[in-house]
Amino acid sequence: MWQRSGIFVIKNRLFLLIGLFVATGIMGFFAAKVKLSYEFAKAIPVDNVKYKTYLDFKKKFGDDGNLLVIGVQTDKLFDLPVFKAYATLHKQLKNVADVEDVLSVPSAVTLRKDSLTQKLFPEKIFADSINTQVELDSAAKVFFNLPFYRNLLYNTDTPRAYLIGVRINKDSLNSPVRTRIVADISTAVESFSTQTKTEAHLSGLPLIRTVVADRIQQEMKFFLLGSLILSSLILLLFFRSVSTTLLSLLVVVFGVIWSVGIMYLCGYKISLLTALIPSLVVVIGIPNCIYFINKYHTSYLQNGDKKKSLVEMVSKMGVVTLFCNITAAIGFAVFALTKSAVLKEFGVVAGISIMVIFFISFILLPAVLSYLRPPNASQVKYLNNRWLIGFLLSIEKWVLHHKKIVYGVTAIVLIFSVLGIFKLKSVAFIVDDLPKTDKIYTDLKFFEKNFKGVMPLEIVVDTKKKYGLAGLRALAVFEKIDSLSKYIAAQKEMNRPLSIAEGLKFAKQAFYEGDSANYLLPNSFDGAFVGEYLRPDKGDSSKKNNFTKMLAGFMDSARQTTRISVSMADVGTTQLPLLLKGIEDRANQLFDTAQYKIQLTGTSITFLEGSRFIINGLKESVFWAFLLIAFCMLYLFRSVRILLCSLIPNLIPLVITAGIMGWLGIPLKPSTVLVFSVALGIAIDITIRFLVNYKQELPVYKNDVIETVCATIKNTGLSIVYTSLVLIAGFIIFCGSSFGGTKALGWLTSLTLLVATLTNLVLLPVLLLLTQKRAPKKGD
């Protein structure tokens, strides 16, 4: 069949080339339409209970991830020139398009009691125009007498740190304009820093998401260009032919166009994971070219007939390359079996793209090579590379004469690796992939140190009845909320929560002439007076002050549900469940579950749930990849003996990689678990190529296993070494990423492939000799 396919391709080469170029042009049209994803990775299934709870929360109270924070630490903020610059910064931030609101010290309000009506009304603490230091000092005294703002807009350290909260339109955050919004905010902040010589820090989910998305776009171009350049250099080094190099590059460029086009046709956008696919297509496509061209050159040296050599290239390497691409595609496509949307997208596009690159190689290489001149002596010189031939002869010597040493070294390395596996831990952080020296990371740590973090956690208290939070009876609910808030504030990783209970305390303080000693929850006597002032203004929203706007978002319109908002540190997936368990236990002590429903939600919860789904999904994908690849191997070789021989050399590299991760303290997280399934799918290619050649050579050497193994090492070892170098070099490029996950994918996959090359060239032949049915008396 494969011989007929080769003849068909060469006979109809012109029509096939025209069809391929036209189809690629159409896919290029679609590829040009693909867009960058501006949303957090959809790691949780849409039918997940916690995800539904989060959506319900956003429907009632709005988005919790649209606050960008700016922080400064100085003892000179209330020097008149500095404060004026700070107030100017506040105004500039409010004027940034798509910024909905800004909360800062200059916009802070206090509540005043009207002496005639005995009602409270909001009043700005800092006038729009403060001209003297005395005026500023007087206003500052009022501000610091309000416990409501403590740890919200400033902390009590020396020197004090101050915070500005910038709320951005959620729709704009999910669009390309957010890059402009963040840039405008950063420009205003830099201007303030330059003017006052005060270092400013920026953080919050809008900033983190924007920086990550923009870097993805930049790195996608860098990795794609880098992999193409590196592949070109390696191909030129091997084949010493510009035409052959350009042809191989044309194959992978077509593959890249198809992969991005497939992404668009599937309705996906470029995310942190899918951005890697074009580079992966290059890395996987180049070995296809090397194996095909290597076989063509070998055949041409033997028979001197170009057409016959091309047909033999297709007939011999077609089935091998097909199964290699199938197993590589399985290594990626199994991600589509997970419940995580982001992994599904990656698995679908990568799996289809890898199969497409096979068909591109199958058509383009023989068709174009048939038009080119036959290879000359310099272009096939690499087949007689002294260094590589010497290396392969050394391997043959180890396989035949040092089997016990091979077993011993393998056993020692496995024991060392298994011990390392027991040290493996599973933990992930929201900003896990950013370097510890990155400005985004260091700024986040500034807010964790001074304000205990900026990651949002929401607690929803549902009274289970309409108007359950209305009237004096609601005071009992807010007392429970205040007790829960005190428990949360006592946690070193969590800031003082913001809730209506805090607003009631603020109002009571104002009701009693601003005495900070009365920053307490109202009792039954003064509750009726104070509660009146906290009702959301039903008038023009533009007339609401910051305090009123803030409190309006803490109770639903039915007065049945209220929220407690917490800002917390990025504590990771190991510590976060313990903190949440503590909050749940305390809430269950305070609230009767028959009368109240307490739910924990927010971005911190969805991140934890998403990480759990991704890690579990990736673990499952390794299992399915192993199982499906085993079935492919069994179908290809129809031998349980060869199946076992093929799987052992590919399991050992995975165990060694896991062991090294354990010894080096590299945790299991979404980015590192990804390595195992990907590496298994790619490394098994080496095994298939070795065993197919072994199977083809066995009848030639009259079923003499030793002679066949030696011939296979010589014939296939050369292309295996070359392709392994390409694969390892291709993944090493990812080490240049600014994201820790991408960097880990690069060096861990390279390490796994390096070990897989050695185990397939040394251990696999040893196992074949060990399990041979009739061992001739030769070797040891």
Side-chain angles (χ1 to χ4, degrees):
M1 183 191 80
W2 290 100
Q3 190 170 13
R4 291 197 301 271
S5 299
I7 295 170
F8 174 81
V9 170
I10 294 170
K11 185 177 179 180
N12 301 281
R13 56 188 181 178
L14 182 60
F15 297 106
L16 288 172
L17 286 174
I18 291 172
L20 181 61
F21 273 84
V22 170
T24 304
I26 293 171
M27 293 303 289
F29 171 76
F30 291 128
K33 292 187 173 185
V34 75
K35 295 180 180 178
L36 191 67
S37 174
Y38 289 92
E39 300 177 5
F40 258 151
K42 301 181 286 294
I44 310 178
V46 293
D47 60 348
N48 181 266
V49 174
K50 292 185 179 180
Y51 184 68
K52 287 182 176 179
T53 301
Y54 181 56
L55 291 180
D56 184 57
F57 167 83
K58 291 205 294 183
K59 185 177 179 181
K60 287 180 181 178
F61 300 108
D63 203 309
D64 71 325
N66 62 344
L67 187 70
L68 185 149
V69 292
I70 302 160
V72 295
Q73 189 167 25
T74 176
D75 54 3
K76 297 182 179 180
L77 184 71
F78 289 96
D79 289 356
L80 188 59
V82 177
F83 187 83
K84 282 188 172 183
Y86 199 61
T88 300
L89 172 61
H90 174 92
K91 292 175 184 176
Q92 290 174 338
L93 294 173
K94 288 204 73 171
N95 290 331
V96 172
D98 299 297
V99 166
E100 294 181 339
D101 200 12
V102 179
L103 180 65
S104 69
V105 174
S107 67
V109 298
T110 185
L111 296 176
R112 298 288 187 192
K113 185 170 69 174
D114 189 295
S115 57
L116 297 176
T117 63
Q118 293 295 296
K119 287 192 173 185
L120 302 175
F121 63 92
E123 180 181 271
K124 279 196 70 176
I125 299 173
F126 299 94
D128 290 333
S129 58
I130 296 180
N131 298 314
T132 66
Q133 186 65 49
V134 174
E135 290 178 86
L136 180 58
D137 292 343
S138 176
K141 186 177 180 182
V142 174
F143 174 75
F144 286 119
N145 190 48
L146 299 173
F148 179 82
Y149 293 113
R150 192 177 301 149
N151 294 322
L152 177 65
L153 293 182
Y154 73 96
N155 70 0
T156 55
D157 293 345
T158 304
R160 286 192 176 109
Y162 299 89
L163 182 145
I164 299 176
V166 182
R167 194 169 73 245
I168 302 170
N169 180 274
K170 64 178 182 179
D171 295 324
S172 300
L173 282 177
N174 292 327
S175 71
V177 300
R178 75 178 184 183
T179 301
R180 187 264 308 158
I181 298 170
V182 171
D184 289 348
I185 292 172
S186 299
T187 300
V189 172
E190 285 172 11
S191 176
F192 166 80
S193 295
T194 302
Q195 182 181 349
T196 61
K197 294 181 174 56
T198 304
E199 183 182 5
H201 307 269
L202 286 81
S203 193
L205 292 180
L207 182 77
I208 295 169
R209 289 166 60 188
T210 302
V211 170
V212 168
D214 290 346
R215 287 186 187 175
I216 287 172
Q217 194 173 28
Q218 294 168 5
E219 288 193 356
M220 181 180 177
K221 297 173 184 176
F222 168 77
F223 291 138
L224 184 56
L225 183 63
S227 59
L228 285 171
I229 292 173
L230 188 58
S231 299
S232 301
L233 292 174
I234 293 174
L235 288 169
L236 273 173
L237 181 66
F238 289 169
F239 298 128
R240 307 294 175 91
S241 169
V242 174
S243 59
T244 304
T245 300
L246 291 177
L247 175 58
S248 301
L249 289 178
L250 187 62
V251 169
V252 295
V253 168
F254 275 26
V256 168
I257 293 171
W258 277 78
S259 68
V260 181
I262 289 166
M263 201 182 302
Y264 174 79
L265 292 175
C266 290
Y268 303 149
K269 296 180 180 179
I270 299 172
S271 66
L272 182 58
L273 272 181
T274 55
L276 299 176
I277 292 174
S279 299
L280 289 173
V281 167
V282 174
V283 171
I284 294 169
I286 289 294
N288 282 4
C289 301
I290 290 176
Y291 278 113
F292 270 117
I293 295 170
N294 177 254
K295 187 62 181 176
Y296 168 56
H297 287 170
T298 304
S299 298
Y300 184 77
L301 278 181
Q302 292 173 352
N303 57 50
D305 187 323
K306 185 174 79 169
K307 184 176 180 181
K308 186 179 179 181
S309 300
L310 289 172
V311 172
E312 187 173 349
M313 174 187 81
V314 174
S315 62
K316 293 286 187 181
M317 299 309 300
V319 64
V320 181
T321 307
L322 174 62
F323 272 90
C324 286
N325 281 52
I326 287 174
T327 54
I330 287 172
F332 291 94
V334 286
F335 298 137
L337 301 176
T338 66
K339 294 181 179 180
S340 171
V342 65
L343 287 179
K344 280 181 183 289
E345 293 178 6
F346 179 72
V348 169
V349 177
I352 296 174
S353 299
I354 290 168
M355 292 311 302
V356 167
I357 197 74
F358 165 74
F359 290 105
I360 293 173
S361 306
F362 188 78
I363 294 171
L364 198 59
L365 288 173
V368 175
L369 284 171
S370 67
Y371 283 110
L372 298 177
R373 293 178 181 177
N376 55 42
S378 65
Q379 293 172 354
V380 295
K381 189 178 179 181
Y382 72 95
L383 295 173
N384 297 308
N385 186 293
R386 288 184 182 179
W387 184 86
L388 282 178
I389 291 173
F391 174 69
L392 294 175
L393 288 174
S394 298
I395 286 178
E396 181 183 319
K397 181 180 177 181
W398 279 91
V399 168
L400 294 178
H401 305 294
H402 303 288
K403 298 186 189 70
K404 291 181 180 178
I405 296 177
V406 172
Y407 295 142
V409 171
T410 303
I412 292 170
V413 172
L414 280 176
I415 292 170
F416 178 79
S417 300
V418 170
L419 291 174
I421 288 174
F422 286 109
K423 295 178 175 288
L424 268 178
K425 295 179 180 179
S426 179
V427 62
F429 296 83
I430 293 179
V431 292
D432 221 3
D433 284 339
L434 291 173
K436 301 295 184 287
T437 55
D438 192 282
K439 185 72 164 63
I440 302 298
Y441 184 87
T442 55
D443 280 357
L444 176 65
K445 293 304 169 185
F446 168 86
F447 287 101
E448 289 183 355
K449 178 183 176 183
N450 292 285
F451 297 97
K452 297 187 177 181
V454 295
M455 298 304 170
L457 171 67
E458 299 288 344
I459 303 165
V460 179
V461 179
D462 186 352
T463 61
K464 296 186 178 181
K465 55 187 175 183
K466 197 172 184 180
Y467 301 116
L469 294 169
L472 289 176
R473 60 187 174 182
L475 286 177
V477 181
F478 293 123
E479 285 175 1
K480 297 176 188 293
I481 288 174
D482 188 49
S483 295
L484 182 59
S485 295
K486 287 177 180 176
Y487 170 83
I488 294 170
Q491 310 305 310
K492 64 179 182 179
E493 303 88 355
M494 295 181 171
N495 200 353
R496 175 172 62 93
L498 195 58
S499 67
I500 289 182
E502 295 298 320
L504 289 170
K505 293 179 185 180
F506 192 8
K508 180 173 180 176
Q509 179 184 354
F511 190 75
Y512 288 99
E513 310 299 336
D515 183 0
S516 60
N518 282 295
Y519 187 75
L520 304 165
L521 274 176
N523 52 37
S524 56
F525 171 74
D526 48 29
F529 299 99
V530 172
E532 168 120 7
Y533 307 106
L534 298 173
R535 292 175 185 167
D537 185 3
K538 295 180 181 179
D540 185 359
S541 62
S542 64
K543 295 180 181 178
K544 294 180 182 179
N545 58 74
N546 278 330
F547 180 71
T548 308
K549 287 179 183 177
M550 193 164 50
L551 293 176
F554 279 80
M555 189 185 297
D556 68 343
S557 57
R559 289 184 174 268
Q560 176 179 321
T561 306
T562 186
R563 68 191 277 201
I564 305 171
S565 290
V566 185
S567 292
M568 63 178 297
D570 182 15
V571 295
T573 53
T574 299
Q575 192 176 354
L576 182 57
L578 301 177
L579 290 172
L580 298 179
K581 180 68 166 55
I583 294 173
E584 288 174 346
D585 290 345
R586 181 57 180 155
N588 290 333
Q589 291 173 3
L590 294 168
F591 295 91
D592 184 353
T593 54
Q595 298 180 29
Y596 302 97
K597 182 180 180 181
I598 311 298
Q599 292 178 308
L600 275 64
T601 187
T603 301
S604 295
I605 300 290
T606 55
F607 165 74
L608 176 64
E609 192 73 359
S611 294
R612 185 177 67 82
F613 265 98
I614 289 176
I615 290 175
N616 290 340
L618 287 168
K619 289 177 181 177
E620 290 173 13
S621 72
V622 173
F623 168 77
W624 284 111
F626 181 78
L627 191 64
L628 292 172
I629 288 171
F631 276 122
C632 285
M633 301 293 282
L634 191 60
Y635 174 80
L636 183 61
F637 299 110
R638 312 293 172 94
S639 168
V640 175
R641 179 178 66 89
I642 290 185
L643 173 65
L644 293 174
C645 289
S646 68
L647 293 179
I648 292 172
N650 289 288
L651 282 176
I652 289 174
L654 301 183
V655 173
I656 292 173
T657 300
I660 289 174
M661 287 173 60
W663 284 110
L664 295 180
I666 300 170
L668 279 177
K669 53 184 179 180
S671 52
T672 53
V673 179
L674 183 70
V675 170
F676 297 97
S677 185
V678 172
L680 178 62
I682 296 175
I684 203 78
D685 292 5
I686 302 171
T687 309
I688 291 174
R689 297 187 191 279
F690 189 97
L691 289 176
V692 167
N693 188 268
Y694 168 80
K695 192 176 179 181
Q696 291 171 345
E697 297 287 348
L698 199 57
V700 177
Y701 291 94
K702 299 178 181 179
N703 294 321
D704 187 320
V705 175
I706 292 180
E707 293 293 339
T708 307
V709 164
C710 292
T712 304
I713 291 173
K714 293 171 186 174
N715 295 338
T716 313
L718 192 68
S719 54
I720 285 176
V721 171
Y722 282 152
T723 51
S724 296
L725 288 174
V726 171
L727 287 168
I728 292 168
F731 277 101
I732 282 290
I733 287 178
F734 294 138
C735 291
S737 173
S738 61
F739 296 108
T742 308
K743 192 175 293 185
L745 176 68
W747 79 265
L748 286 173
T749 307
S750 297
L751 172 67
T752 310
L753 292 175
L754 176 62
V755 177
T757 302
L758 293 175
T759 55
N760 278 286
L761 284 176
V762 180
L763 184 61
L764 177 57
V766 169
L767 292 174
L768 288 173
L769 294 175
L770 177 68
T771 59
Q772 60 182 310
K773 293 179 181 178
R774 292 181 300 274
K777 298 293 182 180
K778 182 179 178 181
D780 289 327

